[in-house]
Amino acid sequence: MTMIFNALTLGALALPNRIVMAPMTRARTDQPGNVPNAMMAEYYSQRASAGLIVSEATQVSPQGQGYSFTPGIHSRAQIAGWRKVTDAVHAAGGRMFLQLWHVGRMSHESFHADGLPVAPSALSPDASVWVADPETGEGKMLPSPLPRALETDEIPGIVDQFRQAAANAAEAGFDGVEIHGANGYLVDQFLRRSSNLRTDRYGGPQENRIRFLVEVAEAVAGEIGAGRTGIRLSPYITQRNMEDAEIIPTILRAAREIERIGLAYIHLSEADWDDAPVIPERFREDLRATYSGTLIVAGKYDKARAERILAEGLADLVAFGRPFVANPDLPDRLRRHAPLAAFDPATLFGGGTRGYSDYPALSPA
């Protein structure tokens, strides 16, 4: 059975296949201003045969930045730059969502006037972020400092940053947005006791720890429509000091709220490194029983594993990350059972077209 090439309706979008291009940070924006550019438009349009492209993580505000040269969606120049990207993708027949990102404590002092990233609580992620010299473009991983705990009255303003970013994404021509609620960034930090020691309405019991996620989802869906809004979650990823014994029931509780709001999809971020935790079938079944919308899975999937999870009914779409780096025509290669090209890891972050938009497609069959 081949399901990965079957069409699917996602909100108002008709997807020609079940292959999603996963969000991947590539750090190729123009400086100053973290502005999307023509090189990015070429890169994404080359990959427009995906059923859906989810953009690289994109900061909703200057406060939300955690890595050098990553794009934003909060300035007029950034909106105009992204418009070039979406126009190119649509001209190539593609569909594209923008991933909305606030990194929280996963940041560096150089991105903040006072040197302090913000987080639910003043707890270190014990992790590093990529920071580049703006003049030379040379970068390296630097440790994140201890963040400042957000005041309760600051949180509605960050919720509004997500709402305004969604409005800006619509103006930039995106078909929808994906809220980044995964991988140890701000929304995920609120969800976990290991990073959220608050005792106010945004901390403590599960119903409080999911409140930030719910308010962001409601604000974004209220701005551009629930059918144009997805969310990414990562229940089993524990790096960046995110291990939490309560996260699975918290995620399932959040999924009930996502169901109530009516978001277009939940995107499960599964780790893709060799010794990553395996997601139990029981969790997948519990999530299916809790949430009736579209499910995207992303991790260490190949065609056979993708076909299997689709056939089992535990996912509707499968996202591929690294395979799309060196294989811009990935759906065609999968259809033709062609070998996949390997990417150059030295060119993943920053730089020019080398290792970015210069990977060739296969010759026509």
Side-chain angles (χ1 to χ4, degrees), residues 181-216:
N183 299 359
Y185 298 117
L186 186 62
V187 175
D188 202 16
Q189 291 162 27
F190 271 98
L191 291 174
R192 302 183 189 240
R193 281 191 183 275
S194 55
S195 54
N196 182 3
L197 302 180
R198 307 180 73 93
T199 57
D200 62 3
R201 66 194 298 260
Y202 293 97
Q206 285 175 7
E207 62 268 24
N208 287 3
R209 279 182 284 123
I210 69 171
R211 187 180 298 274
F212 181 70
L213 178 155
V214 170
E215 291 184 0
V216 168

PDB file of all heavy atoms in Angstrom, residues 181-216:
ATOM      1  N   GLY A 181       5.731  24.982  19.747  1.00  0.00           N
ATOM      2  CA  GLY A 181       5.530  24.646  21.158  1.00  0.00           C
ATOM      3  C   GLY A 181       6.400  23.495  21.597  1.00  0.00           C
ATOM      4  O   GLY A 181       6.040  22.764  22.526  1.00  0.00           O
ATOM      5  N   ALA A 182       7.552  23.313  20.940  1.00  0.00           N
ATOM      6  CA  ALA A 182       8.365  22.112  21.128  1.00  0.00           C
ATOM      7  C   ALA A 182       9.814  22.458  21.456  1.00  0.00           C
ATOM      8  O   ALA A 182      10.207  23.610  21.536  1.00  0.00           O
ATOM      9  CB  ALA A 182       8.308  21.257  19.852  1.00  0.00           C
ATOM     10  N   ASN A 183      10.592  21.397  21.682  1.00  0.00           N
ATOM     11  CA  ASN A 183      12.060  21.421  21.686  1.00  0.00           C
ATOM     12  C   ASN A 183      12.702  22.364  22.690  1.00  0.00           C
ATOM     13  O   ASN A 183      13.802  22.860  22.479  1.00  0.00           O
ATOM     14  CB  ASN A 183      12.586  21.736  20.282  1.00  0.00           C
ATOM     15  CG  ASN A 183      12.168  20.705  19.263  1.00  0.00           C
ATOM     16  OD1 ASN A 183      11.496  19.722  19.592  1.00  0.00           O
ATOM     17  ND2 ASN A 183      12.539  20.915  18.010  1.00  0.00           N
ATOM     18  N   GLY A 184      12.014  22.627  23.794  1.00  0.00           N
ATOM     19  CA  GLY A 184      12.616  23.407  24.860  1.00  0.00           C
ATOM     20  C   GLY A 184      12.548  24.901  24.699  1.00  0.00           C
ATOM     21  O   GLY A 184      13.238  25.635  25.425  1.00  0.00           O
ATOM     22  N   TYR A 185      11.711  25.401  23.760  1.00  0.00           N
ATOM     23  CA  TYR A 185      11.540  26.841  23.604  1.00  0.00           C
ATOM     24  C   TYR A 185      10.393  27.341  24.481  1.00  0.00           C
ATOM     25  O   TYR A 185       9.851  26.589  25.291  1.00  0.00           O
ATOM     26  CB  TYR A 185      11.380  27.177  22.126  1.00  0.00           C
ATOM     27  CG  TYR A 185      12.616  26.792  21.328  1.00  0.00           C
ATOM     28  CD1 TYR A 185      12.560  25.825  20.326  1.00  0.00           C
ATOM     29  CD2 TYR A 185      13.854  27.362  21.610  1.00  0.00           C
ATOM     30  CE1 TYR A 185      13.694  25.448  19.616  1.00  0.00           C
ATOM     31  CE2 TYR A 185      14.999  26.995  20.914  1.00  0.00           C
ATOM     32  CZ  TYR A 185      14.912  26.034  19.924  1.00  0.00           C
ATOM     33  OH  TYR A 185      16.048  25.654  19.254  1.00  0.00           O
ATOM     34  N   LEU A 186      10.000  28.599  24.355  1.00  0.00           N
ATOM     35  CA  LEU A 186       9.200  29.239  25.391  1.00  0.00           C
ATOM     36  C   LEU A 186       7.890  28.523  25.707  1.00  0.00           C
ATOM     37  O   LEU A 186       7.568  28.302  26.881  1.00  0.00           O
ATOM     38  CB  LEU A 186       8.914  30.696  25.018  1.00  0.00           C
ATOM     39  CG  LEU A 186       8.193  31.501  26.116  1.00  0.00           C
ATOM     40  CD1 LEU A 186       9.039  31.599  27.375  1.00  0.00           C
ATOM     41  CD2 LEU A 186       7.832  32.894  25.610  1.00  0.00           C
ATOM     42  N   VAL A 187       7.106  28.156  24.693  1.00  0.00           N
ATOM     43  CA  VAL A 187       5.834  27.482  24.973  1.00  0.00           C
ATOM     44  C   VAL A 187       6.093  26.174  25.713  1.00  0.00           C
ATOM     45  O   VAL A 187       5.406  25.849  26.688  1.00  0.00           O
ATOM     46  CB  VAL A 187       5.056  27.229  23.662  1.00  0.00           C
ATOM     47  CG1 VAL A 187       3.788  26.423  23.943  1.00  0.00           C
ATOM     48  CG2 VAL A 187       4.699  28.550  22.977  1.00  0.00           C
ATOM     49  N   ASP A 188       7.092  25.428  25.281  1.00  0.00           N
ATOM     50  CA  ASP A 188       7.454  24.170  25.930  1.00  0.00           C
ATOM     51  C   ASP A 188       7.937  24.408  27.355  1.00  0.00           C
ATOM     52  O   ASP A 188       7.668  23.609  28.264  1.00  0.00           O
ATOM     53  CB  ASP A 188       8.545  23.478  25.107  1.00  0.00           C
ATOM     54  CG  ASP A 188       8.630  21.976  25.339  1.00  0.00           C
ATOM     55  OD1 ASP A 188       7.678  21.397  25.898  1.00  0.00           O
ATOM     56  OD2 ASP A 188       9.645  21.370  24.954  1.00  0.00           O
ATOM     57  N   GLN A 189       8.643  25.499  27.576  1.00  0.00           N
ATOM     58  CA  GLN A 189       9.129  25.820  28.925  1.00  0.00           C
ATOM     59  C   GLN A 189       7.968  26.027  29.891  1.00  0.00           C
ATOM     60  O   GLN A 189       8.030  25.598  31.051  1.00  0.00           O
ATOM     61  CB  GLN A 189      10.010  27.068  28.870  1.00  0.00           C
ATOM     62  CG  GLN A 189      11.337  26.858  28.165  1.00  0.00           C
ATOM     63  CD  GLN A 189      11.995  28.149  27.727  1.00  0.00           C
ATOM     64  OE1 GLN A 189      11.786  29.215  28.320  1.00  0.00           O
ATOM     65  NE2 GLN A 189      12.779  28.078  26.654  1.00  0.00           N
ATOM     66  N   PHE A 190       6.905  26.671  29.421  1.00  0.00           N
ATOM     67  CA  PHE A 190       5.733  26.845  30.282  1.00  0.00           C
ATOM     68  C   PHE A 190       5.071  25.508  30.613  1.00  0.00           C
ATOM     69  O   PHE A 190       4.494  25.351  31.694  1.00  0.00           O
ATOM     70  CB  PHE A 190       4.717  27.771  29.609  1.00  0.00           C
ATOM     71  CG  PHE A 190       4.925  29.224  29.917  1.00  0.00           C
ATOM     72  CD1 PHE A 190       5.604  30.051  29.026  1.00  0.00           C
ATOM     73  CD2 PHE A 190       4.451  29.781  31.098  1.00  0.00           C
ATOM     74  CE1 PHE A 190       5.796  31.400  29.306  1.00  0.00           C
ATOM     75  CE2 PHE A 190       4.647  31.131  31.390  1.00  0.00           C
ATOM     76  CZ  PHE A 190       5.328  31.942  30.496  1.00  0.00           C
ATOM     77  N   LEU A 191       5.146  24.535  29.709  1.00  0.00           N
ATOM     78  CA  LEU A 191       4.444  23.268  29.904  1.00  0.00           C
ATOM     79  C   LEU A 191       5.078  22.383  30.971  1.00  0.00           C
ATOM     80  O   LEU A 191       4.406  21.511  31.529  1.00  0.00           O
ATOM     81  CB  LEU A 191       4.400  22.487  28.590  1.00  0.00           C
ATOM     82  CG  LEU A 191       3.527  23.041  27.470  1.00  0.00           C
ATOM     83  CD1 LEU A 191       3.727  22.218  26.199  1.00  0.00           C
ATOM     84  CD2 LEU A 191       2.058  23.039  27.879  1.00  0.00           C
ATOM     85  N   ARG A 192       6.357  22.585  31.275  1.00  0.00           N
ATOM     86  CA  ARG A 192       7.090  21.615  32.077  1.00  0.00           C
ATOM     87  C   ARG A 192       7.471  22.158  33.452  1.00  0.00           C
ATOM     88  O   ARG A 192       7.994  23.264  33.579  1.00  0.00           O
ATOM     89  CB  ARG A 192       8.347  21.174  31.325  1.00  0.00           C
ATOM     90  CG  ARG A 192       8.017  20.573  29.956  1.00  0.00           C
ATOM     91  CD  ARG A 192       9.259  20.087  29.257  1.00  0.00           C
ATOM     92  NE  ARG A 192       8.959  19.721  27.869  1.00  0.00           N
ATOM     93  CZ  ARG A 192       9.134  18.501  27.364  1.00  0.00           C
ATOM     94  NH1 ARG A 192       9.609  17.534  28.117  1.00  0.00           N
ATOM     95  NH2 ARG A 192       8.840  18.247  26.111  1.00  0.00           N
ATOM     96  N   ARG A 193       7.253  21.328  34.470  1.00  0.00           N
ATOM     97  CA  ARG A 193       7.656  21.702  35.826  1.00  0.00           C
ATOM     98  C   ARG A 193       9.160  21.908  35.932  1.00  0.00           C
ATOM     99  O   ARG A 193       9.634  22.700  36.756  1.00  0.00           O
ATOM    100  CB  ARG A 193       7.234  20.623  36.826  1.00  0.00           C
ATOM    101  CG  ARG A 193       5.762  20.668  37.230  1.00  0.00           C
ATOM    102  CD  ARG A 193       5.521  19.759  38.407  1.00  0.00           C
ATOM    103  NE  ARG A 193       4.126  19.709  38.788  1.00  0.00           N
ATOM    104  CZ  ARG A 193       3.519  20.587  39.594  1.00  0.00           C
ATOM    105  NH1 ARG A 193       4.218  21.597  40.076  1.00  0.00           N
ATOM    106  NH2 ARG A 193       2.247  20.457  39.900  1.00  0.00           N
ATOM    107  N   SER A 194       9.924  21.202  35.115  1.00  0.00           N
ATOM    108  CA  SER A 194      11.377  21.309  35.178  1.00  0.00           C
ATOM    109  C   SER A 194      11.877  22.686  34.773  1.00  0.00           C
ATOM    110  O   SER A 194      13.004  23.057  35.085  1.00  0.00           O
ATOM    111  CB  SER A 194      12.018  20.245  34.277  1.00  0.00           C
ATOM    112  OG  SER A 194      11.521  20.345  32.953  1.00  0.00           O
ATOM    113  N   SER A 195      11.046  23.463  34.077  1.00  0.00           N
ATOM    114  CA  SER A 195      11.459  24.800  33.659  1.00  0.00           C
ATOM    115  C   SER A 195      10.473  25.881  34.087  1.00  0.00           C
ATOM    116  O   SER A 195      10.679  27.053  33.788  1.00  0.00           O
ATOM    117  CB  SER A 195      11.621  24.852  32.129  1.00  0.00           C
ATOM    118  OG  SER A 195      10.446  24.416  31.492  1.00  0.00           O
ATOM    119  N   ASN A 196       9.417  25.498  34.792  1.00  0.00           N
ATOM    120  CA  ASN A 196       8.373  26.446  35.181  1.00  0.00           C
ATOM    121  C   ASN A 196       8.006  26.218  36.634  1.00  0.00           C
ATOM    122  O   ASN A 196       7.233  25.320  36.975  1.00  0.00           O
ATOM    123  CB  ASN A 196       7.150  26.261  34.279  1.00  0.00           C
ATOM    124  CG  ASN A 196       6.032  27.237  34.582  1.00  0.00           C
ATOM    125  OD1 ASN A 196       6.166  28.111  35.450  1.00  0.00           O
ATOM    126  ND2 ASN A 196       4.915  27.100  33.897  1.00  0.00           N
ATOM    127  N   LEU A 197       8.567  27.035  37.508  1.00  0.00           N
ATOM    128  CA  LEU A 197       8.305  26.938  38.942  1.00  0.00           C
ATOM    129  C   LEU A 197       7.302  27.986  39.418  1.00  0.00           C
ATOM    130  O   LEU A 197       7.173  28.233  40.620  1.00  0.00           O
ATOM    131  CB  LEU A 197       9.619  27.102  39.726  1.00  0.00           C
ATOM    132  CG  LEU A 197      10.737  26.099  39.392  1.00  0.00           C
ATOM    133  CD1 LEU A 197      11.967  26.384  40.234  1.00  0.00           C
ATOM    134  CD2 LEU A 197      10.256  24.681  39.589  1.00  0.00           C
ATOM    135  N   ARG A 198       6.563  28.551  38.494  1.00  0.00           N
ATOM    136  CA  ARG A 198       5.623  29.609  38.844  1.00  0.00           C
ATOM    137  C   ARG A 198       4.511  29.058  39.725  1.00  0.00           C
ATOM    138  O   ARG A 198       4.119  27.889  39.632  1.00  0.00           O
ATOM    139  CB  ARG A 198       5.010  30.233  37.585  1.00  0.00           C
ATOM    140  CG  ARG A 198       6.005  30.719  36.562  1.00  0.00           C
ATOM    141  CD  ARG A 198       5.308  31.311  35.359  1.00  0.00           C
ATOM    142  NE  ARG A 198       4.726  32.593  35.692  1.00  0.00           N
ATOM    143  CZ  ARG A 198       5.329  33.762  35.529  1.00  0.00           C
ATOM    144  NH1 ARG A 198       6.547  33.796  35.032  1.00  0.00           N
ATOM    145  NH2 ARG A 198       4.726  34.892  35.841  1.00  0.00           N
ATOM    146  N   THR A 199       3.956  29.926  40.552  1.00  0.00           N
ATOM    147  CA  THR A 199       2.807  29.562  41.388  1.00  0.00           C
ATOM    148  C   THR A 199       1.584  30.399  41.044  1.00  0.00           C
ATOM    149  O   THR A 199       0.555  30.284  41.707  1.00  0.00           O
ATOM    150  CB  THR A 199       3.148  29.747  42.878  1.00  0.00           C
ATOM    151  OG1 THR A 199       3.563  31.104  43.103  1.00  0.00           O
ATOM    152  CG2 THR A 199       4.271  28.800  43.287  1.00  0.00           C
ATOM    153  N   ASP A 200       1.690  31.224  39.972  1.00  0.00           N
ATOM    154  CA  ASP A 200       0.558  32.054  39.575  1.00  0.00           C
ATOM    155  C   ASP A 200      -0.295  31.311  38.555  1.00  0.00           C
ATOM    156  O   ASP A 200      -0.208  30.085  38.425  1.00  0.00           O
ATOM    157  CB  ASP A 200       1.038  33.405  39.030  1.00  0.00           C
ATOM    158  CG  ASP A 200       1.903  33.249  37.780  1.00  0.00           C
ATOM    159  OD1 ASP A 200       2.080  32.115  37.310  1.00  0.00           O
ATOM    160  OD2 ASP A 200       2.404  34.270  37.271  1.00  0.00           O
ATOM    161  N   ARG A 201      -1.100  32.008  37.781  1.00  0.00           N
ATOM    162  CA  ARG A 201      -2.018  31.381  36.844  1.00  0.00           C
ATOM    163  C   ARG A 201      -1.315  30.709  35.667  1.00  0.00           C
ATOM    164  O   ARG A 201      -1.951  30.015  34.868  1.00  0.00           O
ATOM    165  CB  ARG A 201      -3.038  32.393  36.334  1.00  0.00           C
ATOM    166  CG  ARG A 201      -2.472  33.507  35.480  1.00  0.00           C
ATOM    167  CD  ARG A 201      -3.475  34.639  35.296  1.00  0.00           C
ATOM    168  NE  ARG A 201      -4.672  34.206  34.607  1.00  0.00           N
ATOM    169  CZ  ARG A 201      -4.914  34.410  33.314  1.00  0.00           C
ATOM    170  NH1 ARG A 201      -4.000  35.007  32.568  1.00  0.00           N
ATOM    171  NH2 ARG A 201      -6.035  34.016  32.769  1.00  0.00           N
ATOM    172  N   TYR A 202       0.016  30.874  35.538  1.00  0.00           N
ATOM    173  CA  TYR A 202       0.775  30.237  34.465  1.00  0.00           C
ATOM    174  C   TYR A 202       1.696  29.133  34.975  1.00  0.00           C
ATOM    175  O   TYR A 202       2.569  28.669  34.243  1.00  0.00           O
ATOM    176  CB  TYR A 202       1.602  31.282  33.710  1.00  0.00           C
ATOM    177  CG  TYR A 202       0.752  32.254  32.936  1.00  0.00           C
ATOM    178  CD1 TYR A 202       0.427  33.498  33.460  1.00  0.00           C
ATOM    179  CD2 TYR A 202       0.258  31.928  31.683  1.00  0.00           C
ATOM    180  CE1 TYR A 202      -0.357  34.400  32.757  1.00  0.00           C
ATOM    181  CE2 TYR A 202      -0.532  32.816  30.961  1.00  0.00           C
ATOM    182  CZ  TYR A 202      -0.834  34.055  31.513  1.00  0.00           C
ATOM    183  OH  TYR A 202      -1.616  34.928  30.803  1.00  0.00           O
ATOM    184  N   GLY A 203       1.524  28.708  36.209  1.00  0.00           N
ATOM    185  CA  GLY A 203       2.381  27.665  36.751  1.00  0.00           C
ATOM    186  C   GLY A 203       1.638  26.811  37.760  1.00  0.00           C
ATOM    187  O   GLY A 203       0.484  27.063  38.105  1.00  0.00           O
ATOM    188  N   GLY A 204       2.304  25.755  38.221  1.00  0.00           N
ATOM    189  CA  GLY A 204       1.679  24.863  39.209  1.00  0.00           C
ATOM    190  C   GLY A 204       0.953  23.717  38.544  1.00  0.00           C
ATOM    191  O   GLY A 204       1.559  22.929  37.817  1.00  0.00           O
ATOM    192  N   PRO A 205      -0.347  23.599  38.780  1.00  0.00           N
ATOM    193  CA  PRO A 205      -1.104  22.471  38.211  1.00  0.00           C
ATOM    194  C   PRO A 205      -1.106  22.494  36.681  1.00  0.00           C
ATOM    195  O   PRO A 205      -0.833  23.522  36.056  1.00  0.00           O
ATOM    196  CB  PRO A 205      -2.520  22.696  38.763  1.00  0.00           C
ATOM    197  CG  PRO A 205      -2.365  23.624  39.907  1.00  0.00           C
ATOM    198  CD  PRO A 205      -1.182  24.471  39.603  1.00  0.00           C
ATOM    199  N   GLN A 206      -1.447  21.349  36.088  1.00  0.00           N
ATOM    200  CA  GLN A 206      -1.450  21.232  34.627  1.00  0.00           C
ATOM    201  C   GLN A 206      -2.305  22.306  33.960  1.00  0.00           C
ATOM    202  O   GLN A 206      -1.906  22.890  32.946  1.00  0.00           O
ATOM    203  CB  GLN A 206      -1.979  19.865  34.214  1.00  0.00           C
ATOM    204  CG  GLN A 206      -1.015  18.731  34.421  1.00  0.00           C
ATOM    205  CD  GLN A 206      -1.656  17.404  34.091  1.00  0.00           C
ATOM    206  OE1 GLN A 206      -2.775  17.360  33.585  1.00  0.00           O
ATOM    207  NE2 GLN A 206      -0.971  16.315  34.388  1.00  0.00           N
ATOM    208  N   GLU A 207      -3.482  22.583  34.538  1.00  0.00           N
ATOM    209  CA  GLU A 207      -4.377  23.542  33.891  1.00  0.00           C
ATOM    210  C   GLU A 207      -3.769  24.938  33.841  1.00  0.00           C
ATOM    211  O   GLU A 207      -4.117  25.751  32.987  1.00  0.00           O
ATOM    212  CB  GLU A 207      -5.737  23.590  34.587  1.00  0.00           C
ATOM    213  CG  GLU A 207      -5.714  24.046  36.040  1.00  0.00           C
ATOM    214  CD  GLU A 207      -5.599  22.893  37.010  1.00  0.00           C
ATOM    215  OE1 GLU A 207      -5.099  21.824  36.612  1.00  0.00           O
ATOM    216  OE2 GLU A 207      -6.020  23.066  38.165  1.00  0.00           O
ATOM    217  N   ASN A 208      -2.830  25.229  34.749  1.00  0.00           N
ATOM    218  CA  ASN A 208      -2.139  26.513  34.699  1.00  0.00           C
ATOM    219  C   ASN A 208      -0.955  26.477  33.746  1.00  0.00           C
ATOM    220  O   ASN A 208      -0.707  27.442  33.008  1.00  0.00           O
ATOM    221  CB  ASN A 208      -1.660  26.913  36.092  1.00  0.00           C
ATOM    222  CG  ASN A 208      -2.793  27.353  36.986  1.00  0.00           C
ATOM    223  OD1 ASN A 208      -3.953  27.320  36.596  1.00  0.00           O
ATOM    224  ND2 ASN A 208      -2.486  27.743  38.207  1.00  0.00           N
ATOM    225  N   ARG A 209      -0.208  25.362  33.737  1.00  0.00           N
ATOM    226  CA  ARG A 209       0.976  25.280  32.891  1.00  0.00           C
ATOM    227  C   ARG A 209       0.622  25.232  31.404  1.00  0.00           C
ATOM    228  O   ARG A 209       1.451  25.577  30.564  1.00  0.00           O
ATOM    229  CB  ARG A 209       1.835  24.081  33.296  1.00  0.00           C
ATOM    230  CG  ARG A 209       2.707  24.387  34.519  1.00  0.00           C
ATOM    231  CD  ARG A 209       3.604  23.232  34.910  1.00  0.00           C
ATOM    232  NE  ARG A 209       2.834  22.197  35.573  1.00  0.00           N
ATOM    233  CZ  ARG A 209       2.753  20.942  35.187  1.00  0.00           C
ATOM    234  NH1 ARG A 209       3.356  20.554  34.076  1.00  0.00           N
ATOM    235  NH2 ARG A 209       2.062  20.061  35.869  1.00  0.00           N
ATOM    236  N   ILE A 210      -0.589  24.816  31.062  1.00  0.00           N
ATOM    237  CA  ILE A 210      -0.984  24.838  29.654  1.00  0.00           C
ATOM    238  C   ILE A 210      -1.627  26.171  29.265  1.00  0.00           C
ATOM    239  O   ILE A 210      -1.923  26.390  28.090  1.00  0.00           O
ATOM    240  CB  ILE A 210      -1.942  23.681  29.297  1.00  0.00           C
ATOM    241  CG1 ILE A 210      -3.302  23.866  29.963  1.00  0.00           C
ATOM    242  CG2 ILE A 210      -1.325  22.335  29.623  1.00  0.00           C
ATOM    243  CD1 ILE A 210      -4.351  22.885  29.467  1.00  0.00           C
ATOM    244  N   ARG A 211      -1.801  27.068  30.229  1.00  0.00           N
ATOM    245  CA  ARG A 211      -2.536  28.308  29.953  1.00  0.00           C
ATOM    246  C   ARG A 211      -1.848  29.166  28.898  1.00  0.00           C
ATOM    247  O   ARG A 211      -2.510  29.735  28.033  1.00  0.00           O
ATOM    248  CB  ARG A 211      -2.731  29.118  31.240  1.00  0.00           C
ATOM    249  CG  ARG A 211      -3.640  30.328  31.065  1.00  0.00           C
ATOM    250  CD  ARG A 211      -3.798  31.085  32.383  1.00  0.00           C
ATOM    251  NE  ARG A 211      -4.430  30.254  33.391  1.00  0.00           N
ATOM    252  CZ  ARG A 211      -5.747  30.115  33.550  1.00  0.00           C
ATOM    253  NH1 ARG A 211      -6.567  30.749  32.726  1.00  0.00           N
ATOM    254  NH2 ARG A 211      -6.235  29.364  34.500  1.00  0.00           N
ATOM    255  N   PHE A 212      -0.516  29.251  28.961  1.00  0.00           N
ATOM    256  CA  PHE A 212       0.178  30.070  27.968  1.00  0.00           C
ATOM    257  C   PHE A 212      -0.035  29.503  26.574  1.00  0.00           C
ATOM    258  O   PHE A 212      -0.365  30.240  25.635  1.00  0.00           O
ATOM    259  CB  PHE A 212       1.672  30.148  28.301  1.00  0.00           C
ATOM    260  CG  PHE A 212       2.468  30.989  27.343  1.00  0.00           C
ATOM    261  CD1 PHE A 212       2.314  32.369  27.312  1.00  0.00           C
ATOM    262  CD2 PHE A 212       3.375  30.404  26.471  1.00  0.00           C
ATOM    263  CE1 PHE A 212       3.040  33.153  26.430  1.00  0.00           C
ATOM    264  CE2 PHE A 212       4.116  31.170  25.582  1.00  0.00           C
ATOM    265  CZ  PHE A 212       3.946  32.551  25.561  1.00  0.00           C
ATOM    266  N   LEU A 213       0.113  28.197  26.413  1.00  0.00           N
ATOM    267  CA  LEU A 213      -0.139  27.561  25.122  1.00  0.00           C
ATOM    268  C   LEU A 213      -1.553  27.864  24.644  1.00  0.00           C
ATOM    269  O   LEU A 213      -1.767  28.218  23.474  1.00  0.00           O
ATOM    270  CB  LEU A 213       0.092  26.053  25.233  1.00  0.00           C
ATOM    271  CG  LEU A 213      -0.156  25.179  24.001  1.00  0.00           C
ATOM    272  CD1 LEU A 213       0.677  23.896  24.089  1.00  0.00           C
ATOM    273  CD2 LEU A 213      -1.626  24.795  23.829  1.00  0.00           C
ATOM    274  N   VAL A 214      -2.528  27.715  25.528  1.00  0.00           N
ATOM    275  CA  VAL A 214      -3.930  27.926  25.155  1.00  0.00           C
ATOM    276  C   VAL A 214      -4.158  29.373  24.732  1.00  0.00           C
ATOM    277  O   VAL A 214      -4.816  29.649  23.715  1.00  0.00           O
ATOM    278  CB  VAL A 214      -4.861  27.539  26.317  1.00  0.00           C
ATOM    279  CG1 VAL A 214      -6.293  27.988  26.039  1.00  0.00           C
ATOM    280  CG2 VAL A 214      -4.816  26.024  26.543  1.00  0.00           C
ATOM    281  N   GLU A 215      -3.611  30.314  25.477  1.00  0.00           N
ATOM    282  CA  GLU A 215      -3.821  31.721  25.142  1.00  0.00           C
ATOM    283  C   GLU A 215      -3.156  32.082  23.814  1.00  0.00           C
ATOM    284  O   GLU A 215      -3.721  32.843  23.024  1.00  0.00           O
ATOM    285  CB  GLU A 215      -3.311  32.606  26.279  1.00  0.00           C
ATOM    286  CG  GLU A 215      -4.165  32.492  27.541  1.00  0.00           C
ATOM    287  CD  GLU A 215      -3.721  33.436  28.648  1.00  0.00           C
ATOM    288  OE1 GLU A 215      -2.738  34.189  28.454  1.00  0.00           O
ATOM    289  OE2 GLU A 215      -4.361  33.409  29.728  1.00  0.00           O
ATOM    290  N   VAL A 216      -1.974  31.534  23.559  1.00  0.00           N
ATOM    291  CA  VAL A 216      -1.314  31.780  22.276  1.00  0.00           C
ATOM    292  C   VAL A 216      -2.137  31.175  21.140  1.00  0.00           C
ATOM    293  O   VAL A 216      -2.387  31.827  20.112  1.00  0.00           O
ATOM    294  CB  VAL A 216       0.117  31.210  22.279  1.00  0.00           C
ATOM    295  CG1 VAL A 216       0.699  31.192  20.870  1.00  0.00           C
ATOM    296  CG2 VAL A 216       1.015  32.029  23.202  1.00  0.00           C
TER     297      VAL A 216
END
